């Protein structure tokens, strides 16, 4: 086992300057922001009921609290009936647990994978590039996460829109029996703040852009992108030579376009003046 100092010494931190490593770090950070802004949200709204015929029954500050995972149908509150001291227990409408938890789950798993991938890039780069299995798995996981980010962000954006409607103070007032009586006055004191949840949707789609953009850089590490050299490297020398000759045919007996003669013509010219092929008529004259 290598110690921490030895790991740091052998780590190739230069990979973080490349798009592959740099985008992985951004994915790690943005996934944290995505699940933190969604999973850590808690909101509150206030409504008021002013009973005109029975002022003692009025309640001008009815607080309703809700939070992640947004099981609104389990959020209850009490409102006056404006009939003596009687009160009614009401519940909000809707259950958006599936969309919220799905979004947070994808963000958590993306955080874990991007963190582990960054560690592999830095400290185990040789193992990662040893064969095509590492880049291939990385490529498939990146494609899957890109798709999951798109689906989860879209579902969460739709759920957030429905949550805003269900927790709108005007909608909540319609659930109260006292607000249906014309003589009573109901109003909105304060609505929920949506900045945190709006930010989570933005980070969700930003994560989709990051993961989708990183597909190309991960693909470049696979054998599919490096198909030509990979095929030659795995073939025997005879097969490599045959493949190269097929792709680059060369005719030794042909003339080139510059007007020079071929190697076959050179041999014929040399043989004309060789001792073996020399003229016999000259020796007979001597």
């Amino acid at each position: 086992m290598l110690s921490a100092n030895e790991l740091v010494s052998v780590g190739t931190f230069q990979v973080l300057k490349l798009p592959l490593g740099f985008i992985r770090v951004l994915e790690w950070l943005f996934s944290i922001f995505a699940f933190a802004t969604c999973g850590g949200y808690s909101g509150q709204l206030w409504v008021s009921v002013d009973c005109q015929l029975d002022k003692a029954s009025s309640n001008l500050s009815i607080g309703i609290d809700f939070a992640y995972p947004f099981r609104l149908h389990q959020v209850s509150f009490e409102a006056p009936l404006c009939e003596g001291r009687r009160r009614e227990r009401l519940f909000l409408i809707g259950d958006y647990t599936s969309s919220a938890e799905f979004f947070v789950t994808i963000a958590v798993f993306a955080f874990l994978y991007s963190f582990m991938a960054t560690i592999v890039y830095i400290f185990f780069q040789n193992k990662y590039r040893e064969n095509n299995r590492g880049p291939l798995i990385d490529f498939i996981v990146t494609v899957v996460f890109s798709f999951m980010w798109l689906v989860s962000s879209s579902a969460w954006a739709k759920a957030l829109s429905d949550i805003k409607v269900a927790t709108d103070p005007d909608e909540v007032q319609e659930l109260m029996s006292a607000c249906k009586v014309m003589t009573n006055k109901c109003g909105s004191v304060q609505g929920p703040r949506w900045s945190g949840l709006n930010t989570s949707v933005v980070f969700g789609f930003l994560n989709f852009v990051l993961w989708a953009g990183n597909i190309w850089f991960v693909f470049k590490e696979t054998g599919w992108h490096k198909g030509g050299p990979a095929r030659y490297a795995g073939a025997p020398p005879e097969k490599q030579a045959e493949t190269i000759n097929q792709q680059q045919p060369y005719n030794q007996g042909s003339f080139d376009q510059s007007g020079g003669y071929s190697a076959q013509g050179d041999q014929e010219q040399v043989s004309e003046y060789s001792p073996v092929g020399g003229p016999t008529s000259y020796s007979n004259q001597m």
Side-chain angles (χ1 to χ4, degrees), residues 18-21 23-24 27 121 128-129 135-136 138-144 146 208-227:
L18 301 177
L20 179 64
I23 295 178
R24 278 284 182 250
E27 291 170 353
Y121 294 163
Y128 176 79
R129 298 179 183 273
L136 185 59
D138 196 15
F139 173 75
I140 295 175
V141 174
T142 302
V143 172
V144 171
S146 300
F208 163 69
V209 172
L210 284 175
W211 285 83
N214 204 23
I215 290 177
W216 166 246
F217 298 105
V218 180
F219 175 75
K220 289 173 64 177
E221 301 296 326
T222 63
W224 295 338
H225 182 264
K226 303 175 182 179

Side-chain angles (χ1 to χ4, degrees), residues 98-163:
S98 58
S99 298
E101 290 184 343
F102 179 50
F103 179 80
V104 171
T105 300
I106 295 300
V108 171
F109 278 106
F111 159 77
L112 295 175
Y113 179 79
S114 57
F115 177 75
M116 290 187 295
T118 304
I119 296 299
V120 171
Y121 294 163
I122 296 175
F123 299 109
F124 304 100
Q125 186 67 223
N126 293 333
K127 294 286 186 180
Y128 176 79
R129 298 179 183 273
E130 233 175 36
N131 49 47
N132 194 37
R133 182 177 300 177
L136 185 59
I137 294 176
D138 196 15
F139 173 75
I140 295 175
V141 174
T142 302
V143 172
V144 171
F145 267 111
S146 300
F147 176 73
M148 298 306 289
W149 270 119
L150 177 62
V151 173
S152 62
S153 299
S154 301
W156 171 231
K158 176 61 170 62
L160 178 57
S161 177
D162 295 338
I163 292 173

Side-chain angles (χ1 to χ4, degrees), residues 143-217:
V143 172
V144 171
F145 267 111
S146 300
F147 176 73
M148 298 306 289
W149 270 119
L150 177 62
V151 173
S152 62
S153 299
S154 301
W156 171 231
K158 176 61 170 62
L160 178 57
S161 177
D162 295 338
I163 292 173
K164 291 180 179 179
V165 174
T167 57
D168 183 40
D170 294 333
E171 295 291 332
V172 174
Q173 293 173 27
E174 295 181 359
L175 302 175
M176 304 178 186
S177 300
C179 296
K180 298 177 182 179
V181 179
M182 299 300 296
T183 56
N184 299 325
K185 294 182 179 179
C186 299
S188 172
V189 178
Q190 182 180 343
R193 296 181 179 179
W194 303 110
S195 58
L197 295 183
N198 291 336
T199 304
S200 68
V201 174
V202 173
F203 277 117
F205 284 105
L206 285 178
N207 274 287
F208 163 69
V209 172
L210 284 175
W211 285 83
N214 204 23
I215 290 177
W216 166 246
F217 298 105

Side-chain angles (χ1 to χ4, degrees), residues 7-41:
L7 281 175
V8 173
S9 63
V10 301
T12 55
F13 287 93
Q14 295 295 326
V15 72
L16 299 181
K17 297 181 180 180
L18 301 177
L20 179 64
F22 180 72
I23 295 178
R24 278 284 182 250
V25 175
L26 290 181
E27 291 170 353
W28 177 68
L29 292 175
F30 278 43
S31 61
I32 295 176
F33 296 147
F35 71 75
T37 52
C38 179
Y41 178 84

